[in-house]
Amino acid sequence: MPLALLALAVGAFGIGTTEFVMMGLLPDVADDLGISIPAAGHLVSAYALGVVVGAPLLAGVTTRFTRRQVLVGLMVLFVAGNALSALAPGSGWLLAARFLSGLPHGAFFGVGAVVAVGLVPVERRARAVSLMFLGLTVANVVGVPLATLMGQHFGWRATFLAVAAIGLAAIAALLLLIPHDHARTRSTGLRHELAALGSLPVWLALGTTVAGFAALFAAYSYITPMLTGTAGFADSTVTVLLALFGVGATVGNLLGGRLADRAMRPTLFGGLLALAAVLAAFPLLMRTQWSAALAVTLLGAVAFTTSSPLQLMVMEKAQAAPSLASSANQAAFNLANAGGAWAGGLALAAGLGRTSPAVVGAGFALLGLGVATAAHLAEGRGGGTGTPLGGRLVAMSKARARGQRVGK
């Protein structure tokens, strides 16, 4: 695999760290700024809102630049957002800085996915995407715990300065490793890019992402009360158990990329079905500690097996605007986060039990499987490209092999 994928993974590592570290730092931030924990929780929402707004917007308005330039520019914005977070004098400024930090998130992963598939032969495109996402999953295993520990010992501001430093390292890696003329996008403007997203197959693909990952977040948002209240783990062991989730997610991400290169849709369908099965088994698996630990690991593995196929599916359906479609898919992931957590919370509020959010998640996974099936049927009726990633992305890989510039 090209070393350029390492540059994308470094950027993904920094983004994954800053996205999730706020959860562990909320008490420290609230105490330092003199606000309540619920008020500090708005900082998490501000970041997510930045992702949803920035993903399609930044990918759309940067279509006239090379993707190398876009990636570097996005990481510059990422560094600025985290540096301003560290320097924020009050909660209002920090809220704005967290929103700014979230803006480049979706566009980086979206444009990065298109760059990744253009760097490798056609038969390795899913593995290339999974290697970029590897930075995100490793961030959950290594980056977030270390950043949280740093914040607890040196202050939360030091954490965001460290994340900004990771962003600077990513910029250096992108400048050194991404080809100078890589994949210039079509100069057709934002209107053409948006028009390419207007087809039913694209929306079905995005709907699959929303439903599929809402399944994960419906359960994962409430995994701590399941582990402590049902499985009987002590609060102090939850961090280790969440690291098991990260290990499972890393393995599932790599496995999903390899399997999707062989058969993308069977991997996606099988992953969603396996996710539904694991979540449906949560009420049983949470009865003992060893099976609960297994359940958390399996949840990460089966959920992230679908990440690369979902990304490729959306890009395939909008081959005229792969960067914008891929970025919109990242916004869909964050909508899934919010929607899944909301639905899982409704089950808890209704008194259905601590493991009820997992059962809700199983329903979402089956819904995602149904939407993916509908997208496949629509393609069979002429609504899709019928070729892996569509003709444009295949042409990108072939042009890369010939040393030509593509997408002009």
Side-chain angles (χ1 to χ4, degrees), residues 5-154:
L5 294 175
L6 176 62
L8 297 174
V10 173
F13 178 81
I15 289 173
T17 300
T18 201
E19 179 182 15
F20 294 107
V21 74
M22 181 57 76
M23 287 76 159
L25 295 177
L26 281 182
D28 303 273
V29 173
D31 183 63
D32 183 55
L33 298 180
I35 58 177
S36 66
I37 294 288
H42 294 159
L43 298 169
V44 177
S45 301
Y47 184 92
L49 181 61
V51 177
V52 174
V53 172
L57 179 63
L58 293 180
V61 300
T62 55
T63 55
R64 297 180 183 275
F65 299 94
T66 67
R67 294 193 176 105
R68 179 177 183 268
Q69 292 171 334
V70 172
L71 289 171
V72 171
L74 291 171
M75 287 311 300
V76 169
L77 185 60
F78 171 82
V79 170
N82 282 279
L84 290 173
S85 295
L87 300 173
S91 59
W93 287 99
L94 183 56
L95 198 71
R98 287 296 290 170
F99 176 81
L100 181 65
S101 299
L103 286 175
H105 176 129
F108 182 88
F109 281 110
V111 176
V114 180
V115 170
V117 301
L119 290 168
V120 299
V122 175
E123 66 274 9
R124 294 185 178 180
R125 61 191 183 276
R127 271 174 283 184
V129 172
S130 71
L131 286 176
M132 178 188 68
F133 280 119
L134 182 64
L136 181 63
T137 57
V138 171
N140 281 280
V141 181
V142 179
V144 173
L146 288 179
T148 302
L149 189 65
M150 174 182 290
Q152 291 170 347
H153 283 80
F154 302 104

Side-chain angles (χ1 to χ4, degrees), residues 276-320:
V278 169
L279 288 169
F282 254 55
L284 177 62
L285 295 173
M286 285 291 159
R287 292 181 180 178
T288 64
Q289 292 189 349
W290 72 267
S291 59
L294 176 64
V296 172
T297 308
L298 288 176
L299 179 61
V302 296
F304 279 85
T305 296
T306 66
S307 59
S308 296
L310 283 170
Q311 194 73 30
L312 293 177
M313 180 182 177
V314 172
M315 292 161 63
E316 174 186 285
K317 301 302 180 184
Q319 55 180 283

Side-chain angles (χ1 to χ4, degrees), residues 225-243:
M226 292 187 210
L227 292 171
T228 57
T230 303
F233 283 102
D235 291 342
S236 59
T237 62
V238 171
T239 302
V240 175
L241 292 167
L242 294 183

Side-chain angles (χ1 to χ4, degrees), residues 167-231:
L168 291 175
I171 291 172
L174 290 167
L175 290 172
L176 288 172
L177 300 177
I178 301 294
H180 285 267
D181 61 347
H182 184 75
R184 181 179 293 275
T185 56
R186 295 181 182 178
S187 299
T188 52
L190 181 58
R191 180 177 298 180
H192 179 273
E193 294 279 325
L194 291 173
L197 298 181
S199 67
L200 177 62
V202 172
W203 284 102
L204 288 174
L206 292 172
T208 303
T209 296
V210 173
F213 266 75
L216 167 63
F217 288 113
Y220 189 68
S221 300
Y222 306 98
I223 196 69
T224 296
M226 292 187 210
L227 292 171
T228 57
T230 303

Side-chain angles (χ1 to χ4, degrees), residues 204 207-212 214-215 272 276 360-374:
L204 288 174
T208 303
T209 296
V210 173
L272 289 170
V360 172
F364 273 122
L366 292 176
L367 176 61
L369 182 60
V371 177
T373 301

